[in-house]
Amino acid sequence: MSEIQHLVVMGVSGSGKTTVARILADRLGWPFAEADDHHPEANVAKMAAGTPLTDEDRWPWLRIMRDWLSEQAAAGRSTVITCSALKVAYRDVLREADGRVRFVHLAAAPEVIGGRLEHRSGHFMPPSLLPSQLSTLEPLAEHEDGVSIAVDIPPEEVADAALRGLGLGAVTA
C-alpha cells in the first residue's frame, strides 16, 4: 500500500467540514470520522451552554483523535476526519499520529459562516460561539502540510480543489 495519509478537514464551526470531509472520504475510499463525536460529554455540555472550550478542555479530545489516526494507520488505512484544529498547537498534537497528517482548511468570511450557523439545526455548537472560534483560529502556517480552500463554491468543487491542492488528483465519484 502507498503512504498512509490522514486528511484533517479543519475550520470554524459552520465552514462545511462534515460535508466536504464526507465527499473526500467517498472519493478516496478512505474511512471517515467526525471529531465532534469523540468530544467528552463535559465538552459537549459546555459548548451547548454557550461556553467556549479552553485549551485544557481540548487537549484530551485532540489526543483521542491522534490515537484514532494512529490506530487506523496501524491497520494500514488512510483516513479523512473533521476537526476544528483551530491552533497550530492543536494541529501539532494531531501531527503526532502515525502516518502523514495533512490539513484542508475551509475558509470563509465571518458573515458567510454566521449565516450558515443561523440556519443549522441539530448541532450542539451555538452561533454565539463563532466569535470565539474566529479569534482562536490560526490559519495554516507555511510549514504546515495542507491547503486552504475558500468555501464560497459548491462542496463538490471545494473537494476537487482540495484534492488538486494536495496532489491527490480530482477523483470523481
Side-chain angles (χ1 to χ4, degrees):
M1 178 175 197
S2 60
E3 173 188 34
I4 297 294
Q5 295 187 57
H6 305 293
L7 300 186
V8 178
V9 181
M10 60 166 284
V12 298
S13 186
S15 61
K17 294 183 296 292
T18 300
T19 300
V20 171
R22 286 186 189 279
I23 293 168
L24 291 169
D26 286 346
R27 290 187 183 175
L28 294 166
W30 296 354
F32 164 80
E34 175 73 61
D36 282 347
D37 294 341
H38 298 268
H39 266 297
E41 283 299 317
N43 284 9
V44 173
K46 197 171 185 180
M47 288 183 283
T51 304
L53 297 180
T54 65
D55 286 352
E56 291 69 33
D57 296 323
R58 287 187 178 98
W59 298 129
W61 170 63
L62 291 163
R63 288 190 290 270
I64 289 167
M65 295 315 303
R66 174 203 62 204
D67 294 347
W68 185 86
L69 294 173
S70 290
E71 289 168 11
Q72 297 303 306
R77 291 188 288 267
S78 293
T79 64
V80 178
I81 70 167
T82 62
C83 183
S84 52
L86 298 176
K87 290 184 178 180
V88 173
Y90 302 163
R91 297 190 292 271
D92 288 344
V93 172
L94 297 172
R95 271 192 287 274
E96 293 171 359
D98 295 334
R100 182 178 179 188
V101 179
R102 308 178 81 192
F103 297 91
V104 177
H105 176 202
L106 304 182
E111 51 276 3
V112 171
I113 301 294
R116 288 179 176 187
L117 289 175
E118 290 296 332
H119 296 97
R120 181 165 79 170
S121 62
H123 196 276
F124 59 80
M125 179 76 166
S128 63
L129 290 181
L130 179 60
S132 73
Q133 284 207 328
L134 291 169
S135 68
T136 301
L137 177 65
E138 296 172 359
L140 286 177
E142 196 171 300
H143 73 277
E144 293 185 278
D145 188 357
V147 294
S148 184
I149 309 290
V151 294
D152 57 353
I153 54 179
E156 294 80 10
E157 293 178 33
V158 172
D160 288 341
L163 291 169
R164 278 192 308 275
L166 295 168
L168 295 172
V171 180
T172 56

